[in-house]
Amino acid sequence: MNLTDYSEIRALLARHGFRFSKSLGQNFLTAAWVPERIAEAAGLDEQTGVLEVGPGVGCLTEQLSLRAGKVLAVELDKALKPVLAETLAGRDNVEILFGDVLKQDLPALVREKFPGLRPVICANLPYNVTTPLLTAFLEAGCFETVTVMIQREVARRICAGPGTADYGAFGLFVQWHCETELLFDVPPSCFVPQPKVTSSVIRLTRRAEKPFFAEDEALLFRCIRAAFNQRRKTLPNALSAGVPGLSRERAEQLLTELGFDPRIRGEAVDLAGFVKISNKVFGDLSAKK
Ligand code: SAM
């Protein structure tokens, strides 16, 4: 069966009485080049264990199984059980787990399902939960790469640098953990039902070491979130509003000592700059204790 052929998918889903769920972000691929190119970009071989989120009818799963040692596909919609039993029959290196990927203990799952394999993620993600999913993947700390299709707008934010409208706290969080690459765009016409937005495929490669030394990672991200929560405020104002114990005057003084113009806004500060600022704030708050 051709798992990206629109009429074949429609007949298959109708036979199983399947209805698309918007709340589960169900937009299935109907262009063969897309799952092929995504799987190709994931850099798989016999030594790789791939976690896929949301196999749908299994078109990407099939491509992953042709290239990887093992594929574990986690699907929330149990209505796809009989569909996947049919479409992936005979694919011995594929295991399907029915459940919510956000409720899984990912490091434990990797240890159990991928012994001796290099764990990676490859998926066409449900767009409504992109941020919690990527956060969970990065915080799990066990995936070498994450190659995923997401909304283009979110992809741009993840890969953005300072001084651009797309630059923000979530991009900095991802860049702290990974090298980011924006690979290619996929138009709405490649899906059924068609999403309203263009999609992009990105690849995140986990850094062996963090790019800079942060005294306190939680404080670094508190400073970053504070800076972008109040995007239009100057940094001393934004930091004092978001970091308990730091006054506006003290924030201004610390920024000046670091050589920043105190009228600067968060969107002009790069990751190295935020690390310097949060380390300085850390020293200042620790001295007060
Ligand atoms: N991989 C298929 C494709 O490319 O055609 C389907 C991708 S579709 C964008 C997203 C899939 O994720 C759907 O099958 C949906 O049921 C599933 N899904 C949504 N939320 C999920 C969750 N929390 N855990 C696991 N699967 C989920």
Side-chain angles (χ1 to χ4, degrees):
M1 187 185 293
N2 178 349
L3 297 180
T4 50
D5 183 276
Y6 177 58
S7 49
E8 286 194 39
I9 295 176
R10 219 172 47 167
L12 167 79
L13 294 176
R15 202 149 33 78
H16 291 285
F18 177 84
R19 283 172 177 273
F20 285 95
S21 155
K22 205 172 172 182
S23 67
L24 289 178
Q26 289 177 338
N27 301 96
F28 295 170
L29 283 164
T30 53
W33 68 271
V34 185
E36 279 173 26
R37 213 165 146 195
I38 298 174
E40 209 44 55
L44 310 174
D45 58 33
E46 273 297 307
Q47 311 308 319
T48 347
V50 194
L51 174 70
E52 185 195 6
V53 176
V57 300
C59 65
L60 178 59
T61 324
E62 180 180 55
Q63 293 301 318
L64 298 173
S65 87
L66 293 170
R67 294 167 172 83
K70 175 161 183 186
V71 184
L72 175 69
V74 182
E75 174 56 63
L76 182 53
D77 191 350
K78 287 202 176 66
L80 288 165
K81 212 171 193 169
V83 176
L84 287 163
E86 185 177 328
T87 58
L88 297 177
R91 302 223 154 261
D92 295 338
N93 63 346
V94 176
E95 181 176 343
I96 315 233
L97 188 73
F98 285 91
D100 184 344
V101 79
L102 286 166
K103 294 195 178 139
Q104 308 296 319
D105 176 343
L106 295 176
L109 200 61
V110 161
R111 279 194 300 277
E112 183 195 336
K113 304 292 184 184
F114 298 148
L117 296 175
R118 201 165 54 82
V120 303
I121 287 184
C122 186
N124 169 16
L125 293 183
Y127 295 170
N128 44 347
V129 280
T130 301
T131 309
L133 285 172
L134 290 177
T135 305
F137 299 159
L138 300 192
E139 284 181 344
C142 52
F143 299 102
E144 276 190 18
T145 56
V146 175
T147 308
V148 283
M149 180 150 64
I150 58 179
Q151 252 178 273
R152 180 168 64 178
E153 189 195 320
V154 182
R156 292 206 166 154
R157 272 194 253 140
I158 286 171
C159 302
T164 62
D166 290 329
Y167 188 53
F170 187 62
L172 280 165
F173 166 77
V174 177
Q175 292 166 30
W176 176 252
H177 290 282
C178 305
E179 307 256 8
T180 65
E181 294 168 273
L182 193 53
L183 299 180
F184 57 93
D185 287 348
V186 178
S189 58
C190 292
F191 301 82
V192 61
Q194 292 195 13
K196 290 201 176 71
V197 294
T198 297
S199 304
S200 297
V201 176
I202 58 167
R203 182 170 50 218
L204 311 176
T205 305
R206 188 157 61 96
R207 298 181 188 277
E209 285 179 23
K210 296 292 185 293
F212 308 101
F213 171 71
E215 296 277 2
D216 179 342
E217 264 188 44
L219 179 63
L220 168 65
F221 286 104
R222 189 165 315 130
C223 291
I224 290 174
R225 278 196 304 273
F228 291 99
N229 268 345
Q230 317 237 335
R231 245 187 135 92
R232 294 175 44 194
K233 284 196 176 176
T234 62
L235 205 46
N237 276 326
L239 286 176
S240 60
V243 179
L246 183 69
S247 68
R248 193 195 62 75
E249 292 72 22
R250 191 69 186 131
E252 192 170 316
Q253 201 177 350
L254 297 178
L255 287 168
T256 309
E257 282 171 26
L258 287 171
F260 288 101
D261 179 337
R263 286 164 304 178
I264 199 169
R265 295 198 175 132
E267 59 202 22
V269 179
D270 63 9
L271 185 54
F274 276 113
V275 173
K276 270 192 210 155
I277 293 166
S278 75
N279 285 348
K280 188 87 173 162
V281 172
F282 177 82
D284 192 64
L285 295 179
S286 306
K288 278 193 207 152
K289 278 185 189 157

